Amino acid sequence: MSNTENRGDMSRDQSKHWYDEMQHRDRVIVDAVAEMVRPIEWQYFVTVEFPWDVRPETADRKFNAFINELERGMKTRIGYVRAKESRSKSGAAVPLHFHCCLTALKPIDGSQIESIWLRLVHRTKSPEQDVVLVEPYNAAQHGVEYIVKMIGTLEAEWDFQWLHLFNPAIEYTPKLDHHSLRRDRRWQQQLMDVILATAATRRDAILESKVG
C-alpha cells in the first residue's frame, strides 16, 4: 500500500508509539476492555481491506464468509476479536477495513488467511499487501488494544466470536438446542485431543531429559 492514510492502517508499525501516546483516560478504557482477551494465545494479527468502495453490510458478509471458510477448511473453530473502521487514528476518513486477532486450537496457516480473503474480494494477488496483511501476533505490539482503541466512539465497531473457548474466565451461557449441544461435544473432543497430545509431548521430553 503506497498511501496508508488514504487506504487505512494496514500495519501497526506505522505508529509504533500509539499506545504510549494515548491519553490516560482513553488508555484506561482500552485496557479494561482488552483485559478479557489478553490471556488468549492469539496466532495472528490480520488487516483486510476491499479494492472497491464497500457497503458496511457487504463488508460484514465478506468477513463472516472469510471466517466460515477458514473454519471449514481447518475443521475447527476460529476465535477472533475484530474492529471495523472507517477512520484513521487521526480522524481522517479512510476506506472501510477490518483489523482482527485470530486463534484456534490448531495452528492457522497464514497463507490460507491471505488466499481466502483474496478470493473473496476477487483478487489473484495482493500487490504491496494492499488488501490483506497477515502478521504473527506479538503481544508487545498491543494488537488487542489496537483493535479496541476507538471503543466508545462512533468511528469504529468491534465484535468477537468464541472467545470463551480460549479463555475460560469469560462467562458464557450455552444454548441447549440439539445442534448447539452436538457442536459443543465436537469442540470438547478437539480440546481433549490437544490436551492429550500436549501431555504426551511433555512426557516424552521429560523421559528424554532423564535418559540424557
Coordinates of all heavy atoms in Angstrom, one line a residue, residues 25-107:
R25 N -6.9 8.6 30.3 CA -8.3 8.2 30.4 C -8.7 7.2 29.3 O -9.4 6.2 29.6 CB -9.2 9.5 30.3 CG -10.7 9.2 30.4 CD -11.6 10.4 30.2 NE -11.3 11.0 28.9 CZ -12.0 10.6 27.8 NH1 -12.9 9.6 27.9 NH2 -11.7 11.2 26.6
D26 N -8.3 7.5 28.1 CA -8.6 6.6 27.0 C -7.9 5.3 27.1 O -8.5 4.2 26.9 CB -8.2 7.2 25.6 CG -9.0 8.5 25.3 OD1 -10.1 8.6 25.8 OD2 -8.5 9.4 24.6
R27 N -6.7 5.3 27.6 CA -5.9 4.0 27.8 C -6.6 3.2 28.9 O -6.6 1.9 28.7 CB -4.5 4.3 28.1 CG -3.6 3.0 27.9 CD -2.3 3.1 28.6 NE -1.5 4.2 28.1 CZ -0.2 4.4 28.5 NH1 0.3 3.6 29.4 NH2 0.5 5.4 28.1
V28 N -7.1 3.8 29.9 CA -7.7 3.0 31.0 C -8.9 2.3 30.4 O -9.2 1.1 30.7 CB -8.1 3.9 32.2 CG1 -9.1 3.2 33.1 CG2 -6.9 4.4 32.9
I29 N -9.7 2.9 29.6 CA -10.9 2.3 29.0 C -10.5 1.2 28.1 O -11.0 0.1 28.1 CB -11.7 3.3 28.2 CG1 -12.3 4.4 29.1 CG2 -12.8 2.7 27.4 CD1 -12.9 5.6 28.5
V30 N -9.5 1.4 27.2 CA -9.0 0.4 26.3 C -8.5 -0.8 27.1 O -8.8 -2.0 26.7 CB -7.9 1.0 25.4 CG1 -7.2 -0.1 24.6 CG2 -8.5 1.9 24.4
D31 N -7.7 -0.6 28.1 CA -7.1 -1.7 28.9 C -8.2 -2.5 29.6 O -8.1 -3.7 29.7 CB -6.1 -1.1 29.9 CG -4.8 -0.7 29.3 OD1 -4.5 -1.2 28.2 OD2 -4.1 0.0 30.0
A32 N -9.2 -1.8 30.1 CA -10.3 -2.5 30.7 C -11.0 -3.5 29.8 O -11.4 -4.6 30.1 CB -11.3 -1.5 31.4
V33 N -11.3 -3.0 28.6 CA -11.9 -3.9 27.6 C -11.0 -5.0 27.1 O -11.4 -6.1 26.9 CB -12.4 -3.0 26.4 CG1 -13.0 -3.9 25.3 CG2 -13.4 -2.0 26.9
A34 N -9.8 -4.7 26.9 CA -8.8 -5.6 26.3 C -8.4 -6.7 27.4 O -8.0 -7.8 27.0 CB -7.5 -4.9 25.9
E35 N -8.6 -6.4 28.6 CA -8.2 -7.4 29.7 C -8.8 -8.8 29.5 O -8.1 -9.8 29.8 CB -8.6 -6.8 31.0 CG -8.1 -7.6 32.2 CD -8.4 -7.0 33.5 OE1 -8.9 -5.9 33.6 OE2 -8.1 -7.6 34.6
M36 N -10.0 -8.9 29.0 CA -10.6 -10.2 28.9 C -10.1 -11.0 27.8 O -10.2 -12.2 27.8 CB -12.1 -10.0 28.8 CG -12.6 -9.5 27.4 SD -14.4 -9.6 27.3 CE -14.6 -8.9 25.6
V37 N -9.4 -10.4 26.8 CA -8.9 -11.2 25.7 C -7.4 -11.2 25.7 O -6.8 -12.0 24.8 CB -9.4 -10.6 24.4 CG1 -10.9 -10.8 24.2 CG2 -9.1 -9.1 24.2
R38 N -6.7 -10.5 26.5 CA -5.2 -10.6 26.6 C -4.7 -12.0 26.9 O -3.7 -12.5 26.3 CB -4.7 -9.6 27.6 CG -4.6 -8.2 27.2 CD -3.7 -7.4 28.1 NE -3.8 -6.0 27.8 CZ -4.3 -5.1 28.7 NH1 -4.8 -5.6 29.9 NH2 -4.4 -3.9 28.5
P39 N -5.4 -12.8 27.8 CA -4.9 -14.1 28.1 C -4.9 -15.1 27.0 O -4.3 -16.2 27.0 CB -5.7 -14.6 29.3 CG -6.3 -13.3 29.9 CD -6.5 -12.4 28.7
I40 N -5.7 -14.8 25.9 CA -5.9 -15.8 24.8 C -4.6 -15.8 24.0 O -3.9 -14.8 23.8 CB -7.0 -15.3 23.9 CG1 -8.3 -15.4 24.7 CG2 -7.1 -16.1 22.7 CD1 -9.6 -14.9 24.0
E41 N -4.2 -17.0 23.6 CA -3.0 -17.2 22.8 C -3.3 -16.9 21.3 O -3.6 -17.8 20.6 CB -2.4 -18.6 23.0 CG -1.9 -18.9 24.4 CD -1.3 -20.3 24.6 OE1 -1.1 -20.9 23.5 OE2 -1.0 -20.7 25.7
W42 N -3.2 -15.7 21.0 CA -3.6 -15.3 19.6 C -2.4 -15.7 18.7 O -1.3 -15.7 19.0 CB -3.7 -13.8 19.5 CG -4.8 -13.2 20.3 CD1 -4.8 -12.5 21.5 CD2 -6.2 -13.4 20.1 NE1 -6.0 -12.2 22.0 CE2 -7.0 -12.8 21.1 CE3 -7.0 -14.0 19.0 CZ2 -8.3 -12.7 21.2 CZ3 -8.3 -14.0 19.1 CH2 -9.0 -13.3 20.1
Q43 N -2.8 -16.1 17.5 CA -1.9 -16.5 16.5 C -1.5 -15.5 15.5 O -0.3 -15.3 15.1 CB -2.4 -17.8 15.8 CG -2.6 -19.0 16.6 CD -3.0 -20.2 15.8 OE1 -2.5 -20.4 14.7 NE2 -3.8 -21.1 16.4
Y44 N -2.5 -14.7 15.1 CA -2.2 -13.7 14.0 C -3.0 -12.4 14.3 O -4.0 -12.4 14.9 CB -2.7 -14.2 12.7 CG -1.8 -15.3 12.1 CD1 -2.2 -16.6 12.1 CD2 -0.6 -15.0 11.5 CE1 -1.4 -17.6 11.6 CE2 0.2 -16.0 11.0 CZ -0.2 -17.3 11.0 OH 0.6 -18.3 10.5
F45 N -2.3 -11.3 13.8 CA -3.0 -10.0 13.7 C -3.2 -9.8 12.2 O -2.2 -9.8 11.5 CB -2.1 -8.9 14.3 CG -2.8 -7.5 14.3 CD1 -3.5 -7.1 15.4 CD2 -2.7 -6.7 13.2 CE1 -4.1 -5.8 15.4 CE2 -3.4 -5.5 13.2 CZ -4.1 -5.0 14.3
V46 N -4.4 -9.6 11.8 CA -4.7 -9.5 10.4 C -5.5 -8.2 10.1 O -6.3 -7.8 10.8 CB -5.6 -10.7 10.0 CG1 -5.9 -10.6 8.5 CG2 -4.9 -12.0 10.3
T47 N -5.1 -7.6 9.0 CA -5.8 -6.4 8.4 C -6.3 -6.8 7.0 O -5.5 -7.3 6.2 CB -4.9 -5.2 8.4 OG1 -4.4 -4.9 9.7 CG2 -5.7 -4.0 7.8
V48 N -7.6 -6.6 6.8 CA -8.1 -6.8 5.5 C -8.9 -5.6 5.0 O -9.6 -4.9 5.8 CB -9.0 -8.1 5.5 CG1 -8.2 -9.3 5.7 CG2 -10.1 -8.0 6.5
E49 N -8.8 -5.3 3.7 CA -9.5 -4.2 3.1 C -10.2 -4.7 1.8 O -10.1 -5.9 1.5 CB -8.5 -3.1 2.8 CG -7.9 -2.5 4.0 CD -7.1 -1.2 3.7 OE1 -6.9 -0.9 2.4 OE2 -6.6 -0.5 4.6
F50 N -10.8 -3.7 1.1 CA -11.6 -4.0 -0.1 C -11.0 -3.2 -1.2 O -10.8 -2.0 -1.0 CB -13.0 -3.8 0.1 CG -13.6 -4.6 1.2 CD1 -13.5 -4.1 2.6 CD2 -14.3 -5.8 1.0 CE1 -14.1 -4.9 3.6 CE2 -14.8 -6.5 2.0 CZ -14.7 -6.1 3.3
P51 N -10.9 -3.8 -2.4 CA -10.5 -3.0 -3.6 C -11.6 -2.2 -4.2 O -11.4 -1.7 -5.4 CB -9.9 -4.0 -4.5 CG -10.7 -5.3 -4.2 CD -11.1 -5.2 -2.8
W52 N -12.7 -2.0 -3.5 CA -13.8 -1.1 -4.0 C -14.4 -0.4 -2.8 O -14.1 -0.7 -1.7 CB -14.8 -2.0 -4.8 CG -15.6 -2.9 -3.9 CD1 -16.8 -2.6 -3.2 CD2 -15.3 -4.3 -3.7 NE1 -17.2 -3.7 -2.6 CE2 -16.4 -4.8 -2.8 CE3 -14.3 -5.2 -4.1 CZ2 -16.4 -6.1 -2.3 CZ3 -14.4 -6.5 -3.6 CH2 -15.4 -6.9 -2.8
D53 N -15.3 0.5 -3.1 CA -16.0 1.3 -2.0 C -17.1 0.4 -1.5 O -18.2 0.4 -2.0 CB -16.5 2.6 -2.6 CG -17.1 3.5 -1.5 OD1 -16.8 3.2 -0.3 OD2 -17.8 4.5 -1.8
V54 N -16.8 -0.3 -0.4 CA -17.7 -1.4 0.0 C -18.8 -0.8 1.0 O -18.5 0.1 1.8 CB -16.9 -2.5 0.7 CG1 -16.3 -2.0 2.0 CG2 -17.8 -3.7 1.0
R55 N -20.0 -1.4 0.9 CA -21.0 -1.0 1.9 C -20.8 -1.8 3.2 O -20.2 -2.9 3.2 CB -22.4 -1.4 1.4 CG -22.8 -0.6 0.2 CD -24.2 -1.1 -0.3 NE -24.7 -0.3 -1.5 CZ -25.4 0.8 -1.4 NH1 -25.7 1.2 -0.2 NH2 -25.8 1.4 -2.4
P56 N -21.1 -1.2 4.4 CA -20.9 -1.9 5.7 C -21.5 -3.3 5.7 O -20.8 -4.2 6.2 CB -21.5 -0.9 6.7 CG -21.4 0.4 6.0 CD -21.6 0.2 4.6
E57 N -22.7 -3.4 5.2 CA -23.3 -4.7 5.3 C -22.6 -5.8 4.4 O -22.5 -6.9 4.8 CB -24.8 -4.7 5.0 CG -25.2 -4.1 3.6 CD -25.3 -2.6 3.6 OE1 -24.8 -1.9 4.5 OE2 -25.9 -2.1 2.6
T58 N -22.1 -5.3 3.3 CA -21.4 -6.2 2.4 C -20.1 -6.6 3.1 O -19.6 -7.7 3.0 CB -21.1 -5.5 1.0 OG1 -22.4 -5.2 0.4 CG2 -20.4 -6.5 0.1
A59 N -19.4 -5.6 3.7 CA -18.2 -5.9 4.4 C -18.4 -7.0 5.5 O -17.6 -7.9 5.6 CB -17.6 -4.6 5.0
D60 N -19.5 -6.8 6.2 CA -19.7 -7.8 7.3 C -19.9 -9.2 6.7 O -19.4 -10.2 7.2 CB -21.0 -7.4 8.1 CG -20.7 -6.2 9.0 OD1 -19.6 -6.0 9.4 OD2 -21.7 -5.5 9.3
R61 N -20.7 -9.3 5.6 CA -20.9 -10.6 4.9 C -19.6 -11.2 4.4 O -19.4 -12.4 4.6 CB -21.9 -10.5 3.8 CG -23.3 -10.3 4.2 CD -24.3 -10.6 3.1 NE -24.1 -9.7 1.9 CZ -24.7 -8.5 1.8 NH1 -25.6 -8.1 2.7 NH2 -24.5 -7.8 0.7
K62 N -18.7 -10.4 3.9 CA -17.4 -10.9 3.4 C -16.6 -11.4 4.6 O -15.9 -12.5 4.5 CB -16.7 -9.8 2.6 CG -17.3 -9.5 1.3 CD -17.1 -10.6 0.3 CE -17.6 -10.2 -1.1 NZ -17.4 -11.3 -2.1
F63 N -16.6 -10.7 5.7 CA -15.8 -11.1 6.8 C -16.3 -12.4 7.4 O -15.5 -13.3 7.7 CB -15.7 -10.0 7.9 CG -14.8 -10.3 9.0 CD1 -13.5 -10.0 8.9 CD2 -15.2 -11.0 10.1 CE1 -12.6 -10.3 10.0 CE2 -14.3 -11.3 11.2 CZ -13.0 -11.0 11.1
N64 N -17.6 -12.5 7.5 CA -18.2 -13.7 8.0 C -17.9 -14.9 7.1 O -17.7 -16.0 7.6 CB -19.7 -13.6 8.2 CG -20.1 -12.6 9.3 OD1 -19.3 -12.3 10.2 ND2 -21.3 -12.0 9.2
A65 N -18.0 -14.7 5.8 CA -17.7 -15.7 4.8 C -16.2 -16.1 5.0 O -15.9 -17.3 4.9 CB -18.0 -15.3 3.4
F66 N -15.3 -15.2 5.2 CA -13.9 -15.5 5.4 C -13.7 -16.4 6.6 O -13.0 -17.4 6.5 CB -13.2 -14.1 5.6 CG -11.9 -14.2 6.3 CD1 -10.8 -14.8 5.6 CD2 -11.7 -13.6 7.5 CE1 -9.5 -14.8 6.3 CE2 -10.4 -13.6 8.1 CZ -9.4 -14.2 7.5
I67 N -14.3 -16.1 7.7 CA -14.2 -16.9 8.9 C -14.8 -18.3 8.7 O -14.2 -19.3 9.1 CB -14.8 -16.2 10.2 CG1 -14.1 -14.9 10.5 CG2 -14.9 -17.1 11.4 CD1 -12.6 -15.1 11.0
N68 N -16.0 -18.3 8.1 CA -16.6 -19.6 7.9 C -15.8 -20.5 7.0 O -15.7 -21.7 7.2 CB -18.0 -19.4 7.2 CG -19.0 -18.8 8.2 OD1 -18.8 -18.9 9.4 ND2 -20.0 -18.2 7.7
E69 N -15.2 -19.9 5.9 CA -14.4 -20.7 5.0 C -13.1 -21.2 5.7 O -12.7 -22.4 5.5 CB -14.0 -19.9 3.8 CG -13.4 -20.8 2.7 CD -13.3 -20.1 1.4 OE1 -14.1 -19.1 1.1 OE2 -12.4 -20.4 0.6
L70 N -12.5 -20.4 6.6 CA -11.3 -20.8 7.3 C -11.7 -21.9 8.3 O -10.9 -22.9 8.4 CB -10.8 -19.6 8.1 CG -9.4 -19.7 8.7 CD1 -8.3 -20.0 7.6 CD2 -9.0 -18.4 9.4
E71 N -12.8 -21.8 8.9 CA -13.3 -22.9 9.9 C -13.5 -24.2 9.1 O -13.2 -25.3 9.6 CB -14.5 -22.4 10.6 CG -14.2 -21.4 11.7 CD -15.4 -21.1 12.5 OE1 -16.6 -21.1 12.0 OE2 -15.3 -20.7 13.7
R72 N -14.2 -24.1 8.0 CA -14.5 -25.3 7.2 C -13.2 -26.0 6.8 O -13.1 -27.2 6.9 CB -15.4 -25.0 6.0 CG -16.8 -24.8 6.4 CD -17.7 -24.9 5.1 NE -17.3 -23.9 4.1 CZ -17.7 -22.7 4.0 NH1 -18.6 -22.2 4.9 NH2 -17.3 -21.9 3.0
G73 N -12.3 -25.2 6.3 CA -11.0 -25.8 5.9 C -10.2 -26.5 7.0 O -9.6 -27.5 6.8
M74 N -10.2 -25.9 8.2 CA -9.5 -26.4 9.3 C -10.3 -27.4 10.1 O -9.7 -28.1 11.0 CB -9.0 -25.2 10.2 CG -8.0 -24.3 9.5 SD -7.5 -23.0 10.7 CE -6.7 -24.0 12.0
K75 N -11.6 -27.4 9.9 CA -12.5 -28.3 10.7 C -12.3 -28.0 12.2 O -12.2 -28.9 13.1 CB -12.2 -29.7 10.4 CG -12.5 -30.1 9.0 CD -12.3 -31.6 8.8 CE -12.8 -32.0 7.4 NZ -12.2 -31.3 6.3
T76 N -12.3 -26.7 12.6 CA -12.3 -26.3 14.0 C -12.8 -24.9 14.1 O -13.0 -24.2 13.0 CB -10.8 -26.4 14.5 OG1 -10.9 -26.2 16.0 CG2 -9.9 -25.3 13.9
R77 N -13.0 -24.4 15.3 CA -13.5 -23.1 15.4 C -12.4 -22.0 15.5 O -11.3 -22.3 16.0 CB -14.3 -23.0 16.7 CG -15.5 -23.9 16.7 CD -16.3 -23.8 18.0 NE -17.3 -24.8 18.1 CZ -18.1 -25.0 19.1 NH1 -18.0 -24.2 20.2 NH2 -19.1 -25.9 19.1
I78 N -12.7 -20.9 14.9 CA -11.8 -19.8 14.9 C -12.2 -18.7 15.9 O -13.4 -18.2 15.8 CB -11.7 -19.2 13.5 CG1 -11.2 -20.2 12.4 CG2 -10.7 -18.0 13.5 CD1 -9.9 -20.8 12.7
G79 N -11.4 -18.4 16.9 CA -11.8 -17.3 17.8 C -11.2 -16.0 17.2 O -10.1 -16.0 16.7
Y80 N -12.0 -15.0 17.4 CA -11.5 -13.7 16.9 C -12.1 -12.6 17.7 O -13.1 -12.6 18.3 CB -11.8 -13.5 15.4 CG -13.3 -13.3 15.0 CD1 -13.9 -12.0 15.3 CD2 -14.0 -14.2 14.4 CE1 -15.2 -11.8 14.9 CE2 -15.3 -14.0 14.1 CZ -15.9 -12.8 14.3 OH -17.2 -12.6 14.0
V81 N -11.3 -11.5 17.7 CA -11.8 -10.2 18.1 C -11.5 -9.2 16.9 O -10.4 -9.3 16.3 CB -11.2 -9.7 19.4 CG1 -9.7 -9.6 19.3 CG2 -11.8 -8.3 19.8
R82 N -12.5 -8.4 16.5 CA -12.2 -7.6 15.3 C -12.7 -6.2 15.5 O -13.6 -5.9 16.3 CB -13.0 -8.2 14.1 CG -14.4 -7.9 14.1 CD -15.2 -8.4 12.8 NE -16.5 -7.7 12.7 CZ -17.5 -8.1 11.9 NH1 -17.3 -9.1 11.1 NH2 -18.6 -7.4 11.9
A83 N -12.2 -5.3 14.7 CA -12.7 -3.9 14.6 C -13.0 -3.6 13.2 O -12.2 -4.0 12.3 CB -11.6 -2.9 15.2
K84 N -14.1 -2.9 12.9 CA -14.4 -2.4 11.6 C -14.3 -0.9 11.6 O -15.0 -0.3 12.4 CB -15.9 -2.8 11.2 CG -16.3 -2.4 9.8 CD -17.6 -3.0 9.4 CE -18.8 -2.5 10.3 NZ -20.1 -3.0 9.8
E85 N -13.4 -0.4 10.9 CA -13.0 1.0 10.9 C -13.2 1.7 9.6 O -13.0 1.1 8.6 CB -11.6 1.2 11.4 CG -11.3 0.6 12.8 CD -9.9 0.8 13.2 OE1 -9.1 1.3 12.4 OE2 -9.5 0.3 14.3
S86 N -13.6 3.0 9.7 CA -13.7 3.8 8.5 C -13.0 5.2 8.7 O -13.1 6.1 7.9 CB -15.2 4.1 8.1 OG -15.9 4.6 9.2
R87 N -12.3 5.3 9.8 CA -11.4 6.5 10.1 C -10.1 6.0 10.7 O -10.0 5.0 11.4 CB -12.1 7.4 11.0 CG -13.3 8.1 10.4 CD -13.8 9.3 11.2 NE -15.0 9.9 10.6 CZ -14.9 10.9 9.7 NH1 -13.7 11.3 9.3 NH2 -15.9 11.4 9.1
S88 N -9.1 6.8 10.4 CA -7.8 6.6 10.9 C -7.7 7.1 12.3 O -8.6 7.7 12.8 CB -6.7 7.2 10.1 OG -6.8 8.6 10.2
K89 N -6.6 6.8 13.0 CA -6.4 7.3 14.4 C -6.4 8.8 14.4 O -6.7 9.4 15.5 CB -5.1 6.8 15.0 CG -5.1 5.3 15.1 CD -3.8 4.8 15.7 CE -2.6 5.0 14.8 NZ -2.7 4.3 13.5
S90 N -6.0 9.5 13.3 CA -6.0 11.0 13.3 C -7.4 11.5 13.0 O -7.6 12.7 13.1 CB -5.0 11.4 12.2 OG -5.5 11.0 10.9
G91 N -8.4 10.7 12.7 CA -9.7 11.1 12.5 C -10.0 11.3 11.0 O -11.2 11.6 10.7
A92 N -9.0 11.1 10.1 CA -9.3 11.2 8.7 C -10.1 10.1 8.2 O -9.9 8.9 8.6 CB -8.0 11.3 8.0
A93 N -11.0 10.3 7.3 CA -11.8 9.3 6.7 C -11.0 8.4 5.8 O -10.1 8.9 5.0 CB -13.0 9.9 5.8
V94 N -11.1 7.1 5.9 CA -10.4 6.1 5.1 C -11.4 5.0 4.7 O -12.5 4.9 5.3 CB -9.3 5.4 6.0 CG1 -8.2 6.4 6.4 CG2 -9.8 4.7 7.2
P95 N -11.1 4.3 3.6 CA -12.0 3.2 3.2 C -12.2 2.2 4.3 O -11.3 1.9 5.1 CB -11.2 2.6 2.0 CG -10.4 3.7 1.5 CD -9.9 4.5 2.7
L96 N -13.4 1.6 4.4 CA -13.7 0.7 5.4 C -12.8 -0.5 5.4 O -12.5 -1.0 4.3 CB -15.2 0.2 5.2 CG -15.8 -0.6 6.4 CD1 -17.3 -0.4 6.3 CD2 -15.5 -2.1 6.2
H97 N -12.3 -0.9 6.6 CA -11.4 -2.1 6.7 C -11.6 -2.7 8.0 O -12.2 -2.2 8.9 CB -9.9 -1.6 6.5 CG -9.5 -0.6 7.5 ND1 -9.9 0.7 7.4 CD2 -8.7 -0.7 8.6 CE1 -9.3 1.4 8.4 NE2 -8.6 0.5 9.2
F98 N -11.0 -3.9 8.1 CA -11.1 -4.7 9.4 C -9.7 -4.9 9.9 O -8.7 -5.2 9.2 CB -11.7 -6.1 9.2 CG -13.2 -6.1 8.9 CD1 -13.6 -6.2 7.6 CD2 -14.1 -5.9 9.9 CE1 -15.0 -6.2 7.3 CE2 -15.5 -5.9 9.6 CZ -15.9 -6.1 8.3
H99 N -9.5 -4.8 11.3 CA -8.4 -5.4 12.0 C -8.9 -6.5 12.8 O -10.0 -6.4 13.4 CB -7.7 -4.4 12.9 CG -7.2 -3.2 12.2 ND1 -6.1 -3.3 11.3 CD2 -7.5 -1.9 12.2 CE1 -5.8 -2.1 10.9 NE2 -6.6 -1.2 11.4
C100 N -8.2 -7.6 12.9 CA -8.7 -8.7 13.8 C -7.5 -9.5 14.3 O -6.4 -9.6 13.7 CB -9.6 -9.6 13.0 SG -8.9 -10.5 11.6
C101 N -7.7 -10.1 15.5 CA -6.8 -11.1 16.0 C -7.5 -12.5 15.9 O -8.7 -12.6 16.1 CB -6.5 -10.9 17.5 SG -5.6 -9.3 17.8
L102 N -6.7 -13.5 15.4 CA -7.3 -14.8 15.2 C -6.5 -15.9 16.0 O -5.3 -15.8 16.2 CB -7.1 -15.2 13.7 CG -7.8 -14.3 12.7 CD1 -7.5 -14.8 11.3 CD2 -9.3 -14.1 12.9
T103 N -7.3 -16.9 16.4 CA -6.7 -18.0 17.1 C -7.5 -19.3 16.8 O -8.7 -19.2 16.4 CB -6.4 -17.8 18.6 OG1 -5.5 -18.8 19.0 CG2 -7.7 -17.9 19.3
A104 N -7.0 -20.5 17.1 CA -7.7 -21.7 17.0 C -6.9 -22.8 17.8 O -5.8 -22.5 18.3 CB -7.8 -22.2 15.5
L105 N -7.5 -23.9 18.0 CA -6.8 -25.0 18.7 C -5.6 -25.5 17.8 O -4.6 -26.0 18.3 CB -7.7 -26.2 19.0 CG -8.6 -26.0 20.3 CD1 -9.4 -27.2 20.5 CD2 -7.7 -25.8 21.5
K106 N -5.8 -25.5 16.5 CA -4.8 -25.9 15.6 C -4.0 -24.7 15.1 O -4.5 -23.6 15.1 CB -5.4 -26.6 14.4 CG -6.3 -27.8 14.8 CD -7.0 -28.3 13.5 CE -7.9 -29.5 13.8 NZ -8.6 -30.0 12.6
P107 N -2.8 -24.9 14.6 CA -2.0 -23.8 14.0 C -2.7 -23.3 12.7 O -3.1 -24.1 11.9 CB -0.7 -24.4 13.7 CG -0.5 -25.6 14.6 CD -1.9 -26.1 14.8

